[in-house]
Amino acid sequence: MNLVKTYGGWKNRQLIAFFERYARVVLTRYADKVKYWMTFNEINSALHFPVMSQGLVASNGGNEMQNRYQAWHNQFVAGAKAVAIAHQLRSDLQIGCMLLYATTYAYDANPENQLAALKENQAMNHFCGDVQVRGEYPLYTESLMNHYGFSFKDLDTKPEDFKVLAANPVDYIGFSYYMSTAVNVTDKRLATANGNLVGGVKNPFLEASDWGWQIDPAGLRIALNELANRYNKPVFVVENGLGAKDVPDANHFVQDDYRINYLRAHIEAIRGAIADGVPVMGYTPWGCIDLVSASTGQMSKRYGFIYVDLDDEGHGTMKRYKKASFDWYKQVIASNGEQL
């Protein structure tokens, strides 16, 4: 909060030095215990939600896209410096980036929608990864910025920034995956998928969650293939899960077969990607216990294997109860995904 109030969030270059110091302290302390790290959670989500990853709101310039790209640049440099620190400490430390990834389709074969899907992929799914994994800005950078009325030269950069980026790319790609999206610019009559975090239109081939997020296990297999083959580095699914309305019975038990089915289908998609040759490092679902949903601020949007007796108003005993998915996922872990 102090970084937001005093310094204006990540659009301020001073945060690079702050983060470098923070990373050095934490990495030095835990280098012997923790081998896998990630720098900024869902860094690309700032395209739509800059408050969550950049500390930018309307009052400190969050509505101006130039500030978001400036904040990204500062984060890219800070993250690269963290990579350098880690590799200096131990050769076996691995630092990854972390993306919010939504596999993006054109709604149909209309070339205008195909082009729009390409542009959406560049802006949302690829830009932050391209810089952090490749160590340089992609060719389409100026096009992205021109779309919002500014140029790359308008950003506050220093020559040494680009040397740091080039010398310290991340070791792997971590990402969250909850849904896919479909892009349409040709038919204004199509219904929008309001539940989707990144917008788009409803995909007629997919079912949706209680909150309108389109469920697409095949999209995860596509995402794994796209990322691994784009960057030729290992990939790690670090978030995947189903937010649902859980109704416990008289014994506080939730028979959440819908959650089991969702996770099973996505783990099977990962198995398919591995068969495709994708180097998948791991899979961690969101999440193990019910908590307030970041996307809606609701307790009633539940993801966990453990039910917490608490409602959206904060009323309840806060006691915890295993759902059906608890023992199911315990078996999945024990068998390394063989028993689904």
Side-chain angles (χ1 to χ4, degrees), residues 92-119:
D92 59 346
L93 293 189
Q94 293 194 40
I95 308 290
C97 60
M98 201 295 206
L99 309 172
L100 168 62
Y101 202 91
T103 301
T104 301
Y105 313 115
Y107 181 76
D108 57 23
N110 188 313
E112 291 186 43
N113 288 331
Q114 295 288 329
L115 178 60
L118 180 145
K119 292 293 187 180

PDB file of all heavy atoms in Angstrom, residues 92-119:
ATOM      1  N   ASP A  92      21.208 -24.030  -9.604  1.00  0.00           N
ATOM      2  CA  ASP A  92      20.013 -24.867  -9.740  1.00  0.00           C
ATOM      3  C   ASP A  92      18.717 -24.123  -9.411  1.00  0.00           C
ATOM      4  O   ASP A  92      17.639 -24.715  -9.427  1.00  0.00           O
ATOM      5  CB  ASP A  92      20.121 -26.118  -8.867  1.00  0.00           C
ATOM      6  CG  ASP A  92      20.287 -25.792  -7.381  1.00  0.00           C
ATOM      7  OD1 ASP A  92      20.582 -24.629  -7.065  1.00  0.00           O
ATOM      8  OD2 ASP A  92      20.140 -26.719  -6.560  1.00  0.00           O
ATOM      9  N   LEU A  93      18.793 -22.825  -9.107  1.00  0.00           N
ATOM     10  CA  LEU A  93      17.569 -22.058  -8.902  1.00  0.00           C
ATOM     11  C   LEU A  93      16.929 -21.738 -10.241  1.00  0.00           C
ATOM     12  O   LEU A  93      17.614 -21.362 -11.194  1.00  0.00           O
ATOM     13  CB  LEU A  93      17.860 -20.760  -8.145  1.00  0.00           C
ATOM     14  CG  LEU A  93      18.326 -20.860  -6.696  1.00  0.00           C
ATOM     15  CD1 LEU A  93      18.354 -19.477  -6.068  1.00  0.00           C
ATOM     16  CD2 LEU A  93      17.452 -21.792  -5.880  1.00  0.00           C
ATOM     17  N   GLN A  94      15.603 -21.865 -10.311  1.00  0.00           N
ATOM     18  CA  GLN A  94      14.878 -21.546 -11.540  1.00  0.00           C
ATOM     19  C   GLN A  94      13.835 -20.464 -11.248  1.00  0.00           C
ATOM     20  O   GLN A  94      13.045 -20.583 -10.316  1.00  0.00           O
ATOM     21  CB  GLN A  94      14.199 -22.791 -12.107  1.00  0.00           C
ATOM     22  CG  GLN A  94      15.174 -23.842 -12.605  1.00  0.00           C
ATOM     23  CD  GLN A  94      14.501 -24.901 -13.452  1.00  0.00           C
ATOM     24  OE1 GLN A  94      13.625 -24.595 -14.272  1.00  0.00           O
ATOM     25  NE2 GLN A  94      14.880 -26.152 -13.250  1.00  0.00           N
ATOM     26  N   ILE A  95      13.870 -19.438 -12.073  1.00  0.00           N
ATOM     27  CA  ILE A  95      12.926 -18.329 -11.945  1.00  0.00           C
ATOM     28  C   ILE A  95      12.012 -18.322 -13.170  1.00  0.00           C
ATOM     29  O   ILE A  95      12.482 -18.335 -14.310  1.00  0.00           O
ATOM     30  CB  ILE A  95      13.649 -16.969 -11.867  1.00  0.00           C
ATOM     31  CG1 ILE A  95      14.732 -16.999 -10.790  1.00  0.00           C
ATOM     32  CG2 ILE A  95      12.640 -15.856 -11.598  1.00  0.00           C
ATOM     33  CD1 ILE A  95      14.214 -17.050  -9.387  1.00  0.00           C
ATOM     34  N   GLY A  96      10.709 -18.300 -12.930  1.00  0.00           N
ATOM     35  CA  GLY A  96       9.752 -18.263 -14.029  1.00  0.00           C
ATOM     36  C   GLY A  96       8.944 -16.988 -14.034  1.00  0.00           C
ATOM     37  O   GLY A  96       8.852 -16.270 -13.040  1.00  0.00           O
ATOM     38  N   CYS A  97       8.347 -16.689 -15.180  1.00  0.00           N
ATOM     39  CA  CYS A  97       7.323 -15.652 -15.246  1.00  0.00           C
ATOM     40  C   CYS A  97       5.981 -16.314 -14.946  1.00  0.00           C
ATOM     41  O   CYS A  97       5.885 -17.536 -14.854  1.00  0.00           O
ATOM     42  CB  CYS A  97       7.305 -14.977 -16.613  1.00  0.00           C
ATOM     43  SG  CYS A  97       6.976 -16.086 -18.000  1.00  0.00           S
ATOM     44  N   MET A  98       4.941 -15.526 -14.767  1.00  0.00           N
ATOM     45  CA  MET A  98       3.614 -16.080 -14.502  1.00  0.00           C
ATOM     46  C   MET A  98       2.577 -15.265 -15.257  1.00  0.00           C
ATOM     47  O   MET A  98       2.458 -14.059 -15.071  1.00  0.00           O
ATOM     48  CB  MET A  98       3.343 -16.053 -13.001  1.00  0.00           C
ATOM     49  CG  MET A  98       2.258 -17.042 -12.540  1.00  0.00           C
ATOM     50  SD  MET A  98       0.599 -16.717 -13.155  1.00  0.00           S
ATOM     51  CE  MET A  98      -0.401 -17.466 -11.901  1.00  0.00           C
ATOM     52  N   LEU A  99       1.851 -15.943 -16.138  1.00  0.00           N
ATOM     53  CA  LEU A  99       0.901 -15.295 -17.028  1.00  0.00           C
ATOM     54  C   LEU A  99      -0.528 -15.750 -16.728  1.00  0.00           C
ATOM     55  O   LEU A  99      -0.750 -16.898 -16.330  1.00  0.00           O
ATOM     56  CB  LEU A  99       1.219 -15.634 -18.490  1.00  0.00           C
ATOM     57  CG  LEU A  99       2.653 -15.411 -18.956  1.00  0.00           C
ATOM     58  CD1 LEU A  99       2.834 -15.985 -20.360  1.00  0.00           C
ATOM     59  CD2 LEU A  99       2.994 -13.922 -18.938  1.00  0.00           C
ATOM     60  N   LEU A 100      -1.473 -14.858 -16.941  1.00  0.00           N
ATOM     61  CA  LEU A 100      -2.887 -15.228 -17.002  1.00  0.00           C
ATOM     62  C   LEU A 100      -3.171 -15.570 -18.458  1.00  0.00           C
ATOM     63  O   LEU A 100      -3.195 -14.685 -19.311  1.00  0.00           O
ATOM     64  CB  LEU A 100      -3.760 -14.064 -16.536  1.00  0.00           C
ATOM     65  CG  LEU A 100      -5.267 -14.170 -16.797  1.00  0.00           C
ATOM     66  CD1 LEU A 100      -5.856 -15.363 -16.076  1.00  0.00           C
ATOM     67  CD2 LEU A 100      -5.980 -12.894 -16.394  1.00  0.00           C
ATOM     68  N   TYR A 101      -3.367 -16.859 -18.747  1.00  0.00           N
ATOM     69  CA  TYR A 101      -3.480 -17.283 -20.141  1.00  0.00           C
ATOM     70  C   TYR A 101      -4.894 -17.751 -20.446  1.00  0.00           C
ATOM     71  O   TYR A 101      -5.453 -18.607 -19.753  1.00  0.00           O
ATOM     72  CB  TYR A 101      -2.496 -18.422 -20.432  1.00  0.00           C
ATOM     73  CG  TYR A 101      -2.158 -18.575 -21.899  1.00  0.00           C
ATOM     74  CD1 TYR A 101      -1.077 -17.903 -22.445  1.00  0.00           C
ATOM     75  CD2 TYR A 101      -2.925 -19.370 -22.738  1.00  0.00           C
ATOM     76  CE1 TYR A 101      -0.751 -18.032 -23.791  1.00  0.00           C
ATOM     77  CE2 TYR A 101      -2.613 -19.506 -24.085  1.00  0.00           C
ATOM     78  CZ  TYR A 101      -1.528 -18.833 -24.606  1.00  0.00           C
ATOM     79  OH  TYR A 101      -1.215 -18.959 -25.943  1.00  0.00           O
ATOM     80  N   ALA A 102      -5.474 -17.168 -21.475  1.00  0.00           N
ATOM     81  CA  ALA A 102      -6.788 -17.580 -21.950  1.00  0.00           C
ATOM     82  C   ALA A 102      -6.654 -17.900 -23.437  1.00  0.00           C
ATOM     83  O   ALA A 102      -6.483 -16.990 -24.263  1.00  0.00           O
ATOM     84  CB  ALA A 102      -7.823 -16.483 -21.737  1.00  0.00           C
ATOM     85  N   THR A 103      -6.666 -19.174 -23.768  1.00  0.00           N
ATOM     86  CA  THR A 103      -6.573 -19.570 -25.175  1.00  0.00           C
ATOM     87  C   THR A 103      -7.614 -18.791 -25.980  1.00  0.00           C
ATOM     88  O   THR A 103      -8.787 -18.732 -25.604  1.00  0.00           O
ATOM     89  CB  THR A 103      -6.801 -21.079 -25.318  1.00  0.00           C
ATOM     90  OG1 THR A 103      -5.809 -21.760 -24.533  1.00  0.00           O
ATOM     91  CG2 THR A 103      -6.695 -21.515 -26.765  1.00  0.00           C
ATOM     92  N   THR A 104      -7.179 -18.187 -27.073  1.00  0.00           N
ATOM     93  CA  THR A 104      -8.010 -17.234 -27.805  1.00  0.00           C
ATOM     94  C   THR A 104      -8.277 -17.716 -29.227  1.00  0.00           C
ATOM     95  O   THR A 104      -7.347 -17.970 -29.986  1.00  0.00           O
ATOM     96  CB  THR A 104      -7.325 -15.849 -27.836  1.00  0.00           C
ATOM     97  OG1 THR A 104      -7.138 -15.408 -26.483  1.00  0.00           O
ATOM     98  CG2 THR A 104      -8.163 -14.836 -28.590  1.00  0.00           C
ATOM     99  N   TYR A 105      -9.551 -17.850 -29.546  1.00  0.00           N
ATOM    100  CA  TYR A 105      -9.974 -18.286 -30.875  1.00  0.00           C
ATOM    101  C   TYR A 105     -10.639 -17.132 -31.621  1.00  0.00           C
ATOM    102  O   TYR A 105     -11.275 -16.278 -31.007  1.00  0.00           O
ATOM    103  CB  TYR A 105     -11.008 -19.422 -30.782  1.00  0.00           C
ATOM    104  CG  TYR A 105     -10.683 -20.547 -29.847  1.00  0.00           C
ATOM    105  CD1 TYR A 105     -11.473 -20.780 -28.715  1.00  0.00           C
ATOM    106  CD2 TYR A 105      -9.612 -21.404 -30.081  1.00  0.00           C
ATOM    107  CE1 TYR A 105     -11.207 -21.834 -27.860  1.00  0.00           C
ATOM    108  CE2 TYR A 105      -9.340 -22.468 -29.232  1.00  0.00           C
ATOM    109  CZ  TYR A 105     -10.138 -22.676 -28.119  1.00  0.00           C
ATOM    110  OH  TYR A 105      -9.869 -23.712 -27.269  1.00  0.00           O
ATOM    111  N   ALA A 106     -10.516 -17.149 -32.942  1.00  0.00           N
ATOM    112  CA  ALA A 106     -11.415 -16.335 -33.749  1.00  0.00           C
ATOM    113  C   ALA A 106     -12.784 -16.999 -33.731  1.00  0.00           C
ATOM    114  O   ALA A 106     -12.887 -18.229 -33.732  1.00  0.00           O
ATOM    115  CB  ALA A 106     -10.903 -16.228 -35.179  1.00  0.00           C
ATOM    116  N   TYR A 107     -13.848 -16.192 -33.693  1.00  0.00           N
ATOM    117  CA  TYR A 107     -15.184 -16.769 -33.613  1.00  0.00           C
ATOM    118  C   TYR A 107     -15.495 -17.631 -34.823  1.00  0.00           C
ATOM    119  O   TYR A 107     -16.180 -18.644 -34.707  1.00  0.00           O
ATOM    120  CB  TYR A 107     -16.228 -15.658 -33.473  1.00  0.00           C
ATOM    121  CG  TYR A 107     -17.647 -16.185 -33.363  1.00  0.00           C
ATOM    122  CD1 TYR A 107     -18.092 -16.737 -32.175  1.00  0.00           C
ATOM    123  CD2 TYR A 107     -18.513 -16.136 -34.450  1.00  0.00           C
ATOM    124  CE1 TYR A 107     -19.382 -17.239 -32.059  1.00  0.00           C
ATOM    125  CE2 TYR A 107     -19.807 -16.628 -34.352  1.00  0.00           C
ATOM    126  CZ  TYR A 107     -20.231 -17.182 -33.154  1.00  0.00           C
ATOM    127  OH  TYR A 107     -21.503 -17.681 -33.045  1.00  0.00           O
ATOM    128  N   ASP A 108     -14.982 -17.223 -35.996  1.00  0.00           N
ATOM    129  CA  ASP A 108     -15.221 -17.992 -37.213  1.00  0.00           C
ATOM    130  C   ASP A 108     -14.050 -17.788 -38.163  1.00  0.00           C
ATOM    131  O   ASP A 108     -13.011 -17.224 -37.781  1.00  0.00           O
ATOM    132  CB  ASP A 108     -16.551 -17.587 -37.862  1.00  0.00           C
ATOM    133  CG  ASP A 108     -16.638 -16.092 -38.181  1.00  0.00           C
ATOM    134  OD1 ASP A 108     -15.571 -15.451 -38.327  1.00  0.00           O
ATOM    135  OD2 ASP A 108     -17.768 -15.552 -38.278  1.00  0.00           O
ATOM    136  N   ALA A 109     -14.190 -18.247 -39.398  1.00  0.00           N
ATOM    137  CA  ALA A 109     -13.097 -18.178 -40.370  1.00  0.00           C
ATOM    138  C   ALA A 109     -13.004 -16.847 -41.091  1.00  0.00           C
ATOM    139  O   ALA A 109     -12.144 -16.681 -41.965  1.00  0.00           O
ATOM    140  CB  ALA A 109     -13.251 -19.308 -41.393  1.00  0.00           C
ATOM    141  N   ASN A 110     -13.855 -15.890 -40.736  1.00  0.00           N
ATOM    142  CA  ASN A 110     -13.772 -14.570 -41.348  1.00  0.00           C
ATOM    143  C   ASN A 110     -12.383 -13.979 -41.079  1.00  0.00           C
ATOM    144  O   ASN A 110     -11.959 -13.889 -39.924  1.00  0.00           O
ATOM    145  CB  ASN A 110     -14.850 -13.658 -40.748  1.00  0.00           C
ATOM    146  CG  ASN A 110     -14.953 -12.328 -41.466  1.00  0.00           C
ATOM    147  OD1 ASN A 110     -13.955 -11.669 -41.734  1.00  0.00           O
ATOM    148  ND2 ASN A 110     -16.180 -11.917 -41.763  1.00  0.00           N
ATOM    149  N   PRO A 111     -11.643 -13.586 -42.125  1.00  0.00           N
ATOM    150  CA  PRO A 111     -10.294 -13.055 -41.916  1.00  0.00           C
ATOM    151  C   PRO A 111     -10.233 -11.883 -40.940  1.00  0.00           C
ATOM    152  O   PRO A 111      -9.224 -11.714 -40.243  1.00  0.00           O
ATOM    153  CB  PRO A 111      -9.860 -12.633 -43.322  1.00  0.00           C
ATOM    154  CG  PRO A 111     -10.637 -13.524 -44.233  1.00  0.00           C
ATOM    155  CD  PRO A 111     -11.970 -13.714 -43.565  1.00  0.00           C
ATOM    156  N   GLU A 112     -11.284 -11.091 -40.865  1.00  0.00           N
ATOM    157  CA  GLU A 112     -11.276  -9.973 -39.918  1.00  0.00           C
ATOM    158  C   GLU A 112     -11.248 -10.481 -38.478  1.00  0.00           C
ATOM    159  O   GLU A 112     -10.552  -9.923 -37.618  1.00  0.00           O
ATOM    160  CB  GLU A 112     -12.492  -9.082 -40.144  1.00  0.00           C
ATOM    161  CG  GLU A 112     -12.465  -8.305 -41.456  1.00  0.00           C
ATOM    162  CD  GLU A 112     -13.624  -7.324 -41.548  1.00  0.00           C
ATOM    163  OE1 GLU A 112     -13.914  -6.655 -40.530  1.00  0.00           O
ATOM    164  OE2 GLU A 112     -14.243  -7.248 -42.620  1.00  0.00           O
ATOM    165  N   ASN A 113     -11.999 -11.547 -38.214  1.00  0.00           N
ATOM    166  CA  ASN A 113     -11.983 -12.124 -36.870  1.00  0.00           C
ATOM    167  C   ASN A 113     -10.668 -12.850 -36.598  1.00  0.00           C
ATOM    168  O   ASN A 113     -10.178 -12.853 -35.463  1.00  0.00           O
ATOM    169  CB  ASN A 113     -13.167 -13.072 -36.685  1.00  0.00           C
ATOM    170  CG  ASN A 113     -14.486 -12.328 -36.574  1.00  0.00           C
ATOM    171  OD1 ASN A 113     -14.540 -11.192 -36.108  1.00  0.00           O
ATOM    172  ND2 ASN A 113     -15.562 -12.957 -37.030  1.00  0.00           N
ATOM    173  N   GLN A 114     -10.101 -13.458 -37.634  1.00  0.00           N
ATOM    174  CA  GLN A 114      -8.798 -14.112 -37.479  1.00  0.00           C
ATOM    175  C   GLN A 114      -7.726 -13.081 -37.120  1.00  0.00           C
ATOM    176  O   GLN A 114      -6.895 -13.307 -36.224  1.00  0.00           O
ATOM    177  CB  GLN A 114      -8.417 -14.840 -38.769  1.00  0.00           C
ATOM    178  CG  GLN A 114      -9.319 -16.010 -39.138  1.00  0.00           C
ATOM    179  CD  GLN A 114      -9.121 -17.210 -38.228  1.00  0.00           C
ATOM    180  OE1 GLN A 114      -8.029 -17.438 -37.725  1.00  0.00           O
ATOM    181  NE2 GLN A 114     -10.178 -17.985 -38.016  1.00  0.00           N
ATOM    182  N   LEU A 115      -7.743 -11.952 -37.792  1.00  0.00           N
ATOM    183  CA  LEU A 115      -6.776 -10.895 -37.502  1.00  0.00           C
ATOM    184  C   LEU A 115      -6.995 -10.328 -36.101  1.00  0.00           C
ATOM    185  O   LEU A 115      -6.034 -10.084 -35.359  1.00  0.00           O
ATOM    186  CB  LEU A 115      -6.881  -9.785 -38.542  1.00  0.00           C
ATOM    187  CG  LEU A 115      -5.957  -8.565 -38.337  1.00  0.00           C
ATOM    188  CD1 LEU A 115      -4.495  -8.987 -38.345  1.00  0.00           C
ATOM    189  CD2 LEU A 115      -6.225  -7.504 -39.398  1.00  0.00           C
ATOM    190  N   ALA A 116      -8.259 -10.140 -35.722  1.00  0.00           N
ATOM    191  CA  ALA A 116      -8.566  -9.620 -34.394  1.00  0.00           C
ATOM    192  C   ALA A 116      -8.093 -10.578 -33.304  1.00  0.00           C
ATOM    193  O   ALA A 116      -7.592 -10.152 -32.251  1.00  0.00           O
ATOM    194  CB  ALA A 116     -10.067  -9.369 -34.268  1.00  0.00           C
ATOM    195  N   ALA A 117      -8.230 -11.881 -33.561  1.00  0.00           N
ATOM    196  CA  ALA A 117      -7.757 -12.873 -32.588  1.00  0.00           C
ATOM    197  C   ALA A 117      -6.238 -12.830 -32.469  1.00  0.00           C
ATOM    198  O   ALA A 117      -5.689 -12.942 -31.364  1.00  0.00           O
ATOM    199  CB  ALA A 117      -8.221 -14.268 -33.005  1.00  0.00           C
ATOM    200  N   LEU A 118      -5.553 -12.656 -33.584  1.00  0.00           N
ATOM    201  CA  LEU A 118      -4.097 -12.524 -33.557  1.00  0.00           C
ATOM    202  C   LEU A 118      -3.681 -11.328 -32.715  1.00  0.00           C
ATOM    203  O   LEU A 118      -2.769 -11.414 -31.869  1.00  0.00           O
ATOM    204  CB  LEU A 118      -3.555 -12.403 -34.975  1.00  0.00           C
ATOM    205  CG  LEU A 118      -2.043 -12.259 -35.145  1.00  0.00           C
ATOM    206  CD1 LEU A 118      -1.557 -12.959 -36.401  1.00  0.00           C
ATOM    207  CD2 LEU A 118      -1.605 -10.790 -35.178  1.00  0.00           C
ATOM    208  N   LYS A 119      -4.346 -10.196 -32.924  1.00  0.00           N
ATOM    209  CA  LYS A 119      -4.027  -8.981 -32.178  1.00  0.00           C
ATOM    210  C   LYS A 119      -4.317  -9.156 -30.687  1.00  0.00           C
ATOM    211  O   LYS A 119      -3.552  -8.675 -29.838  1.00  0.00           O
ATOM    212  CB  LYS A 119      -4.812  -7.796 -32.736  1.00  0.00           C
ATOM    213  CG  LYS A 119      -4.391  -7.361 -34.133  1.00  0.00           C
ATOM    214  CD  LYS A 119      -2.980  -6.775 -34.107  1.00  0.00           C
ATOM    215  CE  LYS A 119      -2.585  -6.179 -35.445  1.00  0.00           C
ATOM    216  NZ  LYS A 119      -1.205  -5.610 -35.403  1.00  0.00           N
TER     217      LYS A 119
END
